[in-house]
PDB file of all heavy atoms in Angstrom:
ATOM      1  N   TYR A  56       9.519 -79.159  28.384  1.00  0.00           N
ATOM      2  CA  TYR A  56       8.383 -78.389  28.844  1.00  0.00           C
ATOM      3  C   TYR A  56       8.168 -77.172  27.955  1.00  0.00           C
ATOM      4  O   TYR A  56       9.124 -76.563  27.481  1.00  0.00           O
ATOM      5  CB  TYR A  56       8.601 -77.936  30.296  1.00  0.00           C
ATOM      6  CG  TYR A  56       8.852 -79.110  31.212  1.00  0.00           C
ATOM      7  CD1 TYR A  56      10.126 -79.649  31.324  1.00  0.00           C
ATOM      8  CD2 TYR A  56       7.811 -79.734  31.889  1.00  0.00           C
ATOM      9  CE1 TYR A  56      10.372 -80.767  32.102  1.00  0.00           C
ATOM     10  CE2 TYR A  56       8.036 -80.848  32.679  1.00  0.00           C
ATOM     11  CZ  TYR A  56       9.316 -81.363  32.763  1.00  0.00           C
ATOM     12  OH  TYR A  56       9.550 -82.483  33.530  1.00  0.00           O
ATOM     13  N   GLN A  57       6.898 -76.829  27.787  1.00  0.00           N
ATOM     14  CA  GLN A  57       6.502 -75.629  27.052  1.00  0.00           C
ATOM     15  C   GLN A  57       5.893 -74.655  28.054  1.00  0.00           C
ATOM     16  O   GLN A  57       5.096 -75.063  28.907  1.00  0.00           O
ATOM     17  CB  GLN A  57       5.463 -76.000  25.994  1.00  0.00           C
ATOM     18  CG  GLN A  57       4.913 -74.836  25.194  1.00  0.00           C
ATOM     19  CD  GLN A  57       3.726 -75.273  24.342  1.00  0.00           C
ATOM     20  OE1 GLN A  57       2.698 -75.701  24.856  1.00  0.00           O
ATOM     21  NE2 GLN A  57       3.868 -75.186  23.028  1.00  0.00           N
ATOM     22  N   GLN A  58       6.272 -73.393  27.957  1.00  0.00           N
ATOM     23  CA  GLN A  58       5.706 -72.385  28.853  1.00  0.00           C
ATOM     24  C   GLN A  58       5.316 -71.139  28.075  1.00  0.00           C
ATOM     25  O   GLN A  58       6.174 -70.482  27.487  1.00  0.00           O
ATOM     26  CB  GLN A  58       6.685 -72.013  29.961  1.00  0.00           C
ATOM     27  CG  GLN A  58       6.081 -71.096  31.019  1.00  0.00           C
ATOM     28  CD  GLN A  58       7.051 -70.728  32.117  1.00  0.00           C
ATOM     29  OE1 GLN A  58       8.236 -70.564  31.883  1.00  0.00           O
ATOM     30  NE2 GLN A  58       6.536 -70.576  33.345  1.00  0.00           N
ATOM     31  N   HIS A  59       4.032 -70.837  28.084  1.00  0.00           N
ATOM     32  CA  HIS A  59       3.555 -69.588  27.508  1.00  0.00           C
ATOM     33  C   HIS A  59       3.634 -68.496  28.563  1.00  0.00           C
ATOM     34  O   HIS A  59       3.585 -68.789  29.768  1.00  0.00           O
ATOM     35  CB  HIS A  59       2.123 -69.757  26.996  1.00  0.00           C
ATOM     36  CG  HIS A  59       2.040 -70.564  25.734  1.00  0.00           C
ATOM     37  ND1 HIS A  59       1.586 -71.860  25.698  1.00  0.00           N
ATOM     38  CD2 HIS A  59       2.373 -70.249  24.456  1.00  0.00           C
ATOM     39  CE1 HIS A  59       1.633 -72.307  24.451  1.00  0.00           C
ATOM     40  NE2 HIS A  59       2.110 -71.359  23.680  1.00  0.00           N
ATOM     41  N   PRO A  60       3.743 -67.223  28.144  1.00  0.00           N
ATOM     42  CA  PRO A  60       3.898 -66.118  29.105  1.00  0.00           C
ATOM     43  C   PRO A  60       2.804 -66.103  30.162  1.00  0.00           C
ATOM     44  O   PRO A  60       1.614 -66.205  29.849  1.00  0.00           O
ATOM     45  CB  PRO A  60       3.819 -64.875  28.202  1.00  0.00           C
ATOM     46  CG  PRO A  60       4.310 -65.351  26.879  1.00  0.00           C
ATOM     47  CD  PRO A  60       3.799 -66.764  26.751  1.00  0.00           C
ATOM     48  N   GLY A  61       3.232 -65.990  31.401  1.00  0.00           N
ATOM     49  CA  GLY A  61       2.291 -65.906  32.510  1.00  0.00           C
ATOM     50  C   GLY A  61       1.625 -67.206  32.894  1.00  0.00           C
ATOM     51  O   GLY A  61       0.742 -67.220  33.765  1.00  0.00           O
ATOM     52  N   LYS A  62       2.044 -68.304  32.278  1.00  0.00           N
ATOM     53  CA  LYS A  62       1.428 -69.605  32.553  1.00  0.00           C
ATOM     54  C   LYS A  62       2.430 -70.552  33.205  1.00  0.00           C
ATOM     55  O   LYS A  62       3.644 -70.352  33.120  1.00  0.00           O
ATOM     56  CB  LYS A  62       0.917 -70.236  31.251  1.00  0.00           C
ATOM     57  CG  LYS A  62      -0.115 -69.402  30.525  1.00  0.00           C
ATOM     58  CD  LYS A  62      -1.403 -69.296  31.306  1.00  0.00           C
ATOM     59  CE  LYS A  62      -2.485 -68.602  30.486  1.00  0.00           C
ATOM     60  NZ  LYS A  62      -3.753 -68.476  31.255  1.00  0.00           N
ATOM     61  N   ALA A  63       1.900 -71.608  33.823  1.00  0.00           N
ATOM     62  CA  ALA A  63       2.755 -72.652  34.365  1.00  0.00           C
ATOM     63  C   ALA A  63       3.306 -73.509  33.223  1.00  0.00           C
ATOM     64  O   ALA A  63       2.694 -73.597  32.154  1.00  0.00           O
ATOM     65  CB  ALA A  63       1.965 -73.525  35.339  1.00  0.00           C
ATOM     66  N   PRO A  64       4.447 -74.131  33.432  1.00  0.00           N
ATOM     67  CA  PRO A  64       4.988 -75.024  32.399  1.00  0.00           C
ATOM     68  C   PRO A  64       4.067 -76.209  32.151  1.00  0.00           C
ATOM     69  O   PRO A  64       3.293 -76.615  33.012  1.00  0.00           O
ATOM     70  CB  PRO A  64       6.317 -75.493  33.009  1.00  0.00           C
ATOM     71  CG  PRO A  64       6.655 -74.461  34.025  1.00  0.00           C
ATOM     72  CD  PRO A  64       5.342 -74.007  34.582  1.00  0.00           C
ATOM     73  N   LYS A  65       4.190 -76.758  30.946  1.00  0.00           N
ATOM     74  CA  LYS A  65       3.408 -77.924  30.544  1.00  0.00           C
ATOM     75  C   LYS A  65       4.365 -78.987  30.016  1.00  0.00           C
ATOM     76  O   LYS A  65       5.252 -78.684  29.205  1.00  0.00           O
ATOM     77  CB  LYS A  65       2.414 -77.537  29.439  1.00  0.00           C
ATOM     78  CG  LYS A  65       1.700 -78.713  28.787  1.00  0.00           C
ATOM     79  CD  LYS A  65       0.925 -78.253  27.558  1.00  0.00           C
ATOM     80  CE  LYS A  65       0.381 -79.434  26.768  1.00  0.00           C
ATOM     81  NZ  LYS A  65      -0.296 -79.024  25.520  1.00  0.00           N
ATOM     82  N   LEU A  66       4.199 -80.216  30.480  1.00  0.00           N
ATOM     83  CA  LEU A  66       5.048 -81.314  30.036  1.00  0.00           C
ATOM     84  C   LEU A  66       4.740 -81.680  28.587  1.00  0.00           C
ATOM     85  O   LEU A  66       3.587 -81.933  28.236  1.00  0.00           O
ATOM     86  CB  LEU A  66       4.841 -82.533  30.937  1.00  0.00           C
ATOM     87  CG  LEU A  66       5.633 -83.787  30.578  1.00  0.00           C
ATOM     88  CD1 LEU A  66       7.124 -83.560  30.758  1.00  0.00           C
ATOM     89  CD2 LEU A  66       5.169 -84.975  31.426  1.00  0.00           C
TER      90      LEU A  66
END
Side-chain angles (χ1 to χ4, degrees):
Chain A
Y56 303 83
Q57 177 190 62
Q58 187 180 35
H59 286 106
K62 300 293 187 181
K65 171 190 171 184
L66 178 66

